[in-house]
């Protein structure tokens, strides 16, 4: 069994920063994971934010490029999302997802992942 837990969300003003953390634990021995961040605002569909594939390939959606940075500590199976210059439209529940192996072109597809967490709330006020 694999568990995914997000943390680091909070309430900030526009222009401020937050760092989200995603920890994957459980039966993860010997596997490298594709891990991604997704978000969902009330009344909107879930959307991809950024992902790091098992081979290290990093991919961002256009609306966060230049402001968000995703990184991974493979030894700790931990994914980070540094979010700078936050905007009110970044407000959402942020979810982390993980899948053993490489996803390639599917890394921004939430349903391609096997595991995800309960999410951490990010609220940005103007």
């Amino acid at each position: 069994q694999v568990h995914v837990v997000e943390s680091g969300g909070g309430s900030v003003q526009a222009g401020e920063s937050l760092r989200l953390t995603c920890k994957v634990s459980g039966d993860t021995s010997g596997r490298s994971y594709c891990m991604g961040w997704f978000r969902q605002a009330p009344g909107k569909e879930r959307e991809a934010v950024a992902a790091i594939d098992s081979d290290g390939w990093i991919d961002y959606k256009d609306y966060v490029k230049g402001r968000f940075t995703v990184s991974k500590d493979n030894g700790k199976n931990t994914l980070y999302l540094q979010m700078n210059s936050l905007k009110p439209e970044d407000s959402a529940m942020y979810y982390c997802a993980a899948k053993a192996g490489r996803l390639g072109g599917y890394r921004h597809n939430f349903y391609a992942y096997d595991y995800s967490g309960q999410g951490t709330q990010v609220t940005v006020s103007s």
Side-chain angles (χ1 to χ4, degrees):
Q1 189 66 283
V2 174
H3 303 281
V4 177
V5 179
E6 306 94 337
S7 62
S11 296
V12 296
Q13 298 286 321
E16 294 184 341
S17 300
L18 279 173
R19 189 193 196 206
L20 305 185
T21 299
C22 169
K23 174 67 178 174
V24 177
S25 61
D27 184 17
T28 63
S29 58
R31 305 177 197 176
S32 60
Y33 283 78
C34 178
M35 298 177 71
W37 287 102
F38 297 81
R39 67 188 185 185
Q40 187 168 19
K44 295 187 177 181
E45 294 193 357
R46 182 161 21 212
E47 60 183 12
V49 175
I52 298 184
D53 216 325
S54 61
D55 59 1
W57 186 272
I58 296 176
D59 211 356
Y60 297 94
K61 297 299 283 185
D62 287 345
Y63 36 81
V64 302
K65 279 182 180 177
R67 300 187 299 122
F68 290 11
T69 302
V70 64
S71 59
K72 186 167 67 161
D73 184 331
N74 288 316
K76 297 180 179 179
N77 280 331
T78 301
L79 185 72
Y80 304 97
L81 184 68
Q82 178 66 42
M83 305 186 295
N84 297 330
S85 302
L86 281 162
K87 304 175 181 180
E89 51 263 44
D90 293 318
S91 296
M93 185 72 78
Y94 282 70
Y95 299 92
C96 175
K99 179 178 174 63
R102 185 176 179 275
L103 276 179
Y106 293 96
R107 61 180 75 92
H108 285 321
N109 183 339
F110 181 78
Y111 299 102
Y113 290 79
D114 291 329
Y115 311 101
S116 62
Q118 295 298 309
T120 186
Q121 179 68 40
V122 172
T123 303
V124 185
S125 55
S126 57

